[in-house]
Amino acid sequence: MRLKDLYISALGAAYLFYAISSAASWLLSWLDARWPLIIPGAAPDIGLSIGFATIGGLLLQQWMGGDEGFKAAAVLVGSFLAVALMTLQLLVAGASALNAYILSAIGEEWGPSASMELCRADVVLGAFTAPVIRLALRRVREVVGVAARA
Amino acid sequence: MSRSKQAVKLKIALAGNSNVGKSVIFNEITGGRAFVANWPGVTVEKKVGRIRFRDVNVEVVDLPGIYSLTPYTLDEMIARRFIIEEKPDAIINIVNAVNLDRNLYLTILLLEMKARLVIALNMMDLAEAEGIKIDVDGLSRELGVPIIPTIAVKGVGTRKVLEEAVKIAKSKQKVNFKVDYGGDVEKALRELTSIIEREADLRDYEPRWLAIKLLEGDENIVSNLKSLGRRALLEKAERMRAELERKLNMNLEDYMIEKRYELVFKLVSKYVIHPRKKATFTDLLDSVLTSRIYGIPILATIVYMMFQFAFKVAEPFMTFIDWLFGTLLYEAVYSTSLPLIVKSFLADGFLVGVGSILVFVPNIALLFLALAVLEDIGYMARAAYVVDKIMHKLKLTGKSIVPMAVGFGCNVPAIMATRPIEDEADRKVTALVAPLMSCMARLPVYLVVGGAFFAAQLGVVVMSMYVLGVLLAFVMAWILRKVFFKAPSSGFIMELPPYLAPTLKGIVVKTWERTKRFLLKAGTVILFAMFLVWVMSVTGPSGWIGVEALSRPELLEESWVGVLGRGLQSVFWPMGWDWRALSALLLGFVAKEIVVGSMAILYGAAEEELPRLLSQVFTPVQAYAYMAFVLIYVPCLATLAAIRSELGTRYMLLALFYELALAYVVALLITGFGALWGGAG
């Protein structure tokens, strides 16, 4: 197994870990708000948990069989979703900062700072996954090229 | 001005299969300047653009996306009727270069109608990437029409298409294209054609095309000719058809379709070279995006991202609009020296109303933006495919996903978006359950009522409303199928377009058009409704109460709104909602957008103070039940009007009553379970 495959697998495992953490955190926040599950970067959000689980599964597809084309496309889609989630969270952080600025300008109370929005698993893992898009694209092109020559 | 110097006016239509880039070409040609109306007599959207091209005024009409010109689907009927009745000077037929064998069938049908065509051979870049080689000149010669290769998303070739269309439209040249249907059929066609040519009242129709339709037994043509008293001609055509079917030993319509496809395959094999079949980039992506394991989770992730984008990124814009209308302008009006009644009308009626609409425009625009991107990339077609298996089990079709997804924005276009569903029962069921999709107008209620109790989990609580709507839609679809529409659901036919990079212009135009439609609706019905709320709040059975009623609940209770709200309390006692919450529901009949605005007036508070006030009059369970009731109960007036015009009064009443009953039952269950769980207090 090559180093880059290990890197992708490690990311996949991290996404699955945060999928479980986010789901557990969300469930606990519902059951008893006094005992939140504190895992750095895990937001108590079931929608995010589904997203993490999907990305994790796609990045770990190389361990789960299927033809080369499917595996390559799975990694491409997974990494693309990871970067989309990261971009979304960056936009949310930006919007949060702008909202705080407007609220303070009009003399209203405003919530936690935007920097809190950046310390999340979707941002950090997304940044680590961004380079995978290039690798995955190259692999998909290789598969398409091989099929064309066959 | 002399006659010779008067500008020529031409009408050019755009026709093509779905997902071939028709909208992109329409926007390129018209520069995105289009107005939207309905096709006569139906609520299918008609997009028209007016441009000046050199010395010519051109009206560009976007026909619905179609695969054929049969009388079996409304979109195809609309296109056909337009060509027959409005006789466009030219038609731009957009075909997908990657899938010519599928697309050329419509081209053949249009040519049979003797339409003056220009073919825009679109997605040439994708065809080249797949190694497809097309002899454009040869195909153009054989069909007798100009063919312009285009890459619409990059604007390549679109101007040339318009140039050619204007040229042939001005030339008024005759179209000589013919499909050879073989000896006996051709003989019958000649005989019928010569009869039709002699009849003055059939001159609207192209004679050979009418003869073909008569031999096919086209229901719509037969009925039209019956109404013209052409029984002899119909009987003759019927005799000929029976004779030909006996000779051919097959249905004549099927035979003629076969002949057209034979021609299409002949043309494709002669002028198109396909490389050996290989896995393409699109194939590989589809293997994952539509896979059994990942298809649904990927769709769920994308929907989640779409809603996070629409709700959270919109926040600062909403804060600003809220402050502008709720504070700055509101206080500015009250600081003037106008009479109190005028100030109250302007501030409490007009500004509160306008503010409560505009504050959600950022949400709506961002949601439409996300939908436009997904549509233009080509993902929405995959989403339909992915859910088709499930939809089929729930007695719907994969195509129902489009109206249902549009319903998250607004239920009115959702009802209209059921048009492309060919199967009548599928279409009716989809239209009846589409209002259960939580439209953007319900969002303010979730945010305000939900925000009062579930601020920390607001995203999840709001999402639960969306999920509840979807689940109830499936349950109702199943029930409606079992009770009213027992015919089996039809199969799923949808071409998966290649993945394309969306264009900024296309997305902006689409987003703006949809947002504008919401704003126009808001600007008319809702503003009127808000005025009505204000009047009903300051008057009552005893007459004029005064604008003080808006800030003094004991006076407001004496108003019409209070009287009606109190009347409803006897029906809704198990839920424990107070008369003001019930009055807001009553007013929400007009439009769901006004529920929050009405609550603000009824509780005598600015919108930002509402959550705090509501936390004193609701319990969490009552609040959640109220949100569910708002989700489910009667669609707004505009949606009801859309259902009536699409399905008739009977189905409108069905939608009205089943949703009211369902809303009551669900709210009651939530209240009951909440009490059992100990959350009512």
Side-chain angles (χ1 to χ4, degrees):
Chain A
M1 168 142 298
R2 290 174 300 180
L3 191 62
K4 53 190 172 190
D5 292 327
L6 280 175
Y7 180 74
I8 295 169
S9 304
L11 282 172
Y15 269 108
L16 282 187
F17 170 75
Y18 272 103
I20 296 163
S21 305
S22 293
S25 187
W26 173 79
L27 204 62
L28 281 177
S29 71
W30 268 101
L31 294 175
D32 193 340
R34 287 170 303 170
W35 301 102
L37 186 69
I38 311 283
I39 293 170
D45 185 334
I46 190 66
L48 191 63
S49 169
I50 293 169
F52 282 165
T54 309
I55 295 167
L58 287 164
L59 295 181
L60 289 171
Q61 183 57 42
Q62 52 189 324
W63 297 95
M64 294 185 248
D67 64 33
E68 281 308 308
F70 185 77
K71 286 181 194 170
V75 173
L76 180 63
V77 173
S79 54
F80 186 80
L81 283 178
V83 172
L85 263 183
M86 176 189 72
T87 311
L88 173 68
Q89 191 51 33
L90 291 177
L91 279 173
V92 170
S96 223
L98 183 60
N99 197 39
Y101 174 77
I102 294 172
L103 286 171
S104 66
I106 60 177
E108 300 269 339
E109 279 179 34
W110 47 283
S113 82
S115 59
M116 293 292 288
E117 309 265 14
L118 296 174
C119 308
R120 288 180 24 153
D122 35 353
V123 177
V124 178
L125 290 177
F128 281 110
T129 313
V132 175
I133 290 188
R134 235 179 111 209
L135 290 174
L137 257 177
R138 199 183 305 155
R139 201 175 286 179
V140 167
R141 285 201 186 110
E142 275 168 22
V143 172
V144 172
V146 167
R149 284 194 296 276
Chain B
M1 190 183 282
S2 72
R3 192 178 170 78
S4 62
K5 285 196 176 167
Q6 273 180 357
V8 183
K9 195 177 170 192
L10 297 174
K11 188 178 280 185
I12 294 174
L14 264 65
N17 293 182
S18 301
N19 301 317
V20 291
K22 206 157 56 66
S23 301
V24 182
I25 290 189
F26 179 82
N27 288 335
E28 278 289 327
I29 287 177
T30 60
R33 291 179 298 274
F35 66 88
V36 181
N38 280 343
W39 290 95
V42 291
T43 50
V44 176
E45 192 179 272
K46 177 187 185 184
K47 263 166 68 180
V48 181
R50 292 202 177 109
I51 54 164
R52 187 159 171 91
F53 184 74
R54 294 177 186 160
D55 59 336
V56 186
N57 287 324
V58 185
E59 185 177 278
V60 187
V61 181
D62 192 11
L63 295 175
I66 48 173
Y67 292 91
S68 176
L69 287 166
T70 61
Y72 308 123
T73 77
L74 191 69
D75 283 349
E76 291 177 2
M77 272 308 295
I78 285 168
R80 193 164 105 164
R81 203 181 302 155
F82 177 81
I83 297 166
I84 295 169
E85 291 172 9
E86 300 208 24
K87 301 197 187 314
D89 300 291
I91 293 178
I92 297 171
N93 175 210
I94 297 116
V95 301
N96 178 353
V98 181
N99 207 347
L100 264 182
D101 39 4
R102 173 82 58 85
N103 285 239
L104 279 180
Y105 185 75
L106 178 65
T107 308
I108 301 291
L109 293 173
L110 291 168
L111 285 170
E112 278 198 314
M113 294 183 88
K114 305 291 178 199
R116 280 184 287 273
L117 288 195
V118 174
I119 294 177
L121 192 58
N122 198 26
M123 304 189 191
M124 278 303 281
D125 52 341
L126 297 176
E128 275 167 25
E130 289 191 20
I132 297 168
K133 291 188 174 60
I134 302 168
D135 176 359
V136 176
D137 294 336
L139 187 61
S140 169
R141 267 196 311 277
E142 184 106 18
L143 291 171
V145 298
I147 300 179
I148 316 294
T150 59
I151 308 168
V153 288
K154 293 178 184 163
V156 176
T158 45
R159 191 171 169 83
K160 180 97 172 85
V161 168
L162 180 62
E163 258 175 39
E164 280 295 329
V166 169
K167 200 166 106 190
I168 68 156
K170 281 161 98 178
S171 74
K172 307 275 178 195
Q173 68 187 43
K174 289 263 177 217
V175 177
N176 291 316
F177 179 86
K178 253 170 55 172
V179 177
D180 183 0
Y181 290 103
D184 290 332
V185 179
E186 280 298 326
K187 195 176 152 208
L189 283 173
R190 275 195 300 276
E191 201 179 329
L192 281 175
T193 305
S194 70
I195 298 170
I196 294 163
E197 279 171 343
R198 290 197 295 272
E199 303 296 335
D201 56 349
L202 298 179
R203 284 207 181 121
D204 262 358
Y205 298 102
E206 201 291 314
R208 184 178 159 90
W209 180 81
L210 184 58
I212 291 169
K213 294 295 127 187
L214 283 172
L215 283 188
E216 284 181 343
D218 184 290
E219 286 168 13
N220 179 259
I221 292 294
V222 168
S223 132
N224 284 357
L225 292 202
K226 263 185 196 162
S227 65
L228 288 173
R230 292 276 155 204
R231 292 204 177 268
L233 178 62
L234 286 169
E235 279 164 17
K236 186 170 181 63
E238 184 57 40
R239 277 198 304 277
M240 284 175 157
R241 186 152 66 102
E243 174 64 15
L244 286 167
E245 284 185 344
R246 193 183 55 76
K247 277 187 186 168
L248 297 165
N249 197 25
M250 72 184 292
N251 177 290
L252 194 54
E253 189 183 4
D254 293 346
Y255 170 83
M256 294 172 108
I257 291 170
E258 236 173 54
K259 282 286 170 191
R260 284 183 208 117
Y261 269 113
E262 263 176 32
L263 175 62
V264 168
F265 292 137
K266 200 180 105 194
L267 290 170
V268 170
S269 61
K270 194 169 168 189
Y271 297 109
V272 183
I273 301 169
H274 283 279
R276 283 178 61 184
K277 186 66 189 159
K278 58 172 187 175
T280 63
F281 190 74
T282 294
D283 292 338
L284 283 186
L285 283 187
D286 277 347
S287 69
V288 175
L289 291 173
T290 62
S291 82
R292 226 156 29 111
I293 305 166
Y294 293 116
I296 301 273
I298 290 172
L299 176 61
T301 305
I302 288 173
V303 170
Y304 166 80
M305 286 198 282
M306 196 166 81
F307 280 92
Q308 289 291 316
F309 177 65
F311 296 153
K312 292 203 168 166
V313 178
E315 233 170 58
F317 307 102
M318 294 171 75
T319 303
F320 177 76
I321 295 169
D322 192 30
W323 167 77
L324 182 69
F325 285 88
T327 308
L328 188 74
L329 295 175
Y330 188 89
E331 286 171 2
V333 167
Y334 265 106
S335 65
T336 61
S337 54
L338 292 165
L340 184 62
I341 182 170
V342 178
K343 285 197 279 194
S344 173
F345 170 70
L346 287 175
D348 300 309
F350 183 76
L351 281 180
V352 169
V354 173
S356 64
I357 298 155
L358 290 184
V359 78
F360 296 103
V361 168
N363 277 141
I364 291 165
L366 288 180
L367 183 71
F368 284 151
L369 180 76
L371 269 175
V373 171
L374 292 173
E375 279 170 6
D376 286 8
I377 284 176
Y379 182 73
M380 287 311 283
R382 271 83 188 174
Y385 175 80
V386 162
V387 295
D388 186 58
K389 283 174 207 157
I390 300 171
M391 293 291 223
H392 222 73
K393 282 182 187 151
L394 297 160
K395 312 293 178 194
L396 284 167
T397 162
K399 286 185 181 174
S400 305
I401 195 73
V402 178
M404 288 170 100
V406 173
F408 288 127
C410 179
N411 292 163
V412 177
I415 303 295
M416 294 169 188
T418 58
R419 274 285 149 195
I421 301 173
E422 293 87 357
D423 185 277
E424 198 60 10
D426 281 340
R427 191 171 76 81
K428 283 178 176 163
V429 173
T430 307
L432 285 170
V433 300
L436 290 169
M437 297 297 104
S438 187
C439 70
M440 291 307 274
R442 279 113 150 172
L443 179 65
V445 184
Y446 308 153
L447 294 180
V448 170
V449 180
F453 295 94
F454 315 103
Q457 294 287 346
L458 191 56
V460 177
V461 169
V462 170
M463 203 165 170
S464 74
M465 285 292 120
Y466 285 85
V467 173
L468 179 65
V470 173
L471 291 177
L472 287 172
F474 289 150
V475 170
M476 282 315 300
W478 191 84
I479 293 171
L480 287 168
R481 273 276 177 192
K482 286 275 171 202
V483 180
F484 296 102
F485 309 98
K486 290 178 183 167
S489 182
S490 70
F492 178 73
I493 306 166
M494 184 185 249
E495 193 177 332
L496 295 182
Y499 293 101
L500 292 172
T503 62
L504 185 66
K505 190 175 169 186
I507 287 166
V508 168
V509 167
K510 216 178 255 188
T511 306
W512 168 239
E513 271 178 11
R514 290 172 179 175
T515 310
K516 190 173 75 180
R517 217 174 308 158
F518 170 81
L519 272 173
L520 287 176
K521 183 187 155 202
T524 50
V525 181
I526 298 147
L527 210 57
F528 170 75
M530 295 308 293
F531 171 68
L532 192 68
V533 175
W534 181 80
V535 172
M536 286 173 70
S537 306
V538 295
T539 60
S542 59
W544 175 253
I545 298 173
V547 294
E548 296 79 11
L550 295 170
S551 52
R552 288 172 56 190
E554 72 277 11
L555 285 178
L556 194 58
E557 210 167 345
E558 304 305 317
S559 71
W560 285 114
V561 170
V563 170
L564 289 170
R566 276 202 312 277
L568 282 175
Q569 268 184 308
S570 56
V571 182
F572 287 89
W573 67 266
M575 288 77 159
W577 302 329
D578 78 353
W579 65 270
R580 281 168 286 219
L582 290 168
S583 300
L585 286 180
L586 193 71
L587 296 163
F589 265 94
V590 181
K592 302 269 169 100
E593 285 90 340
I594 66 168
V595 173
V596 168
S598 310
M599 282 177 124
I601 292 176
L602 290 161
Y603 284 101
E607 269 176 43
E608 61 270 21
E609 291 168 14
L610 261 181
R612 188 183 52 78
L613 262 167
L614 294 178
S615 65
Q616 293 162 10
V617 292
F618 280 109
T619 66
V621 170
Q622 284 171 344
Y624 196 76
Y626 190 80
M627 288 161 66
F629 193 88
V630 171
L631 161 74
I632 309 162
Y633 88 123
V634 293
C636 67
L637 279 181
T639 305
L640 282 176
I643 296 175
R644 184 173 172 267
S645 73
E646 287 297 302
L647 310 181
T649 308
R650 215 175 103 210
Y651 291 104
M652 181 196 75
L653 292 174
L654 177 65
L656 181 71
F657 289 114
Y658 99 70
E659 289 200 41
L660 252 182
L662 185 66
Y664 191 88
V665 169
V666 172
L668 197 63
L669 286 174
I670 292 171
T671 312
F673 281 119
L676 282 177
W677 201 11

